[in-house]
Amino acid sequence: MASKIENMWAASRFVLPEQRELYLQHREDMKLVKMPELEQDELESFHYLIRDSAREDYAITITWWQPVKEDLGKTCSMWGVIKWMDQNSRRVKLVNDEESRWIQMDAIIEVIP
């Protein structure tokens, strides 16, 4: 008799695809973070490392914040060499062996040499 009750509870745990999708979306939303606020001296050191990477042609790792929902977003990271700096649009082109990407200067939150 106990096995029938256990099976009844197991059968009632069916989840609709819509419920599963909402649950997974909620789990993804919990991973989102606000853009960190940086001090002026941190920004200056980032800019110095970026200019130096472009001038001396050495690789750096850049971490930036990418907006997803309103004021929440996720952090992305990529290593490479700065090949181009666009002063008008305030962005840099980071290039490595696999890909190249334009990154907004205002979104950069960390630069590691």
Side-chain angles (χ1 to χ4, degrees), residues 38-100:
L38 302 172
E39 300 293 328
Q40 185 64 29
D41 59 339
E42 290 176 310
L43 293 173
E44 290 172 2
S45 69
F46 295 167
H47 291 211
Y48 175 78
L49 288 170
I50 289 170
R51 281 192 308 269
D52 200 37
S53 171
R55 183 176 49 241
E56 301 294 329
D57 200 40
Y58 67 86
I60 58 175
T61 301
I62 294 181
T63 304
W64 68 94
W65 183 81
Q66 184 175 3
V68 176
K69 286 187 175 182
E70 297 172 10
D71 62 339
L72 296 175
K74 61 182 179 177
T75 58
C76 303
S77 184
M78 182 177 159
W79 69 273
V81 177
I82 302 295
K83 291 295 183 182
W84 188 262
M85 295 176 69
D86 186 358
Q87 297 293 334
N88 295 333
S89 300
R90 295 196 39 81
R91 60 186 185 158
V92 295
K93 187 172 189 176
L94 187 65
V95 178
N96 65 16
D97 296 339
E98 291 113 23
E99 65 178 312
S100 66

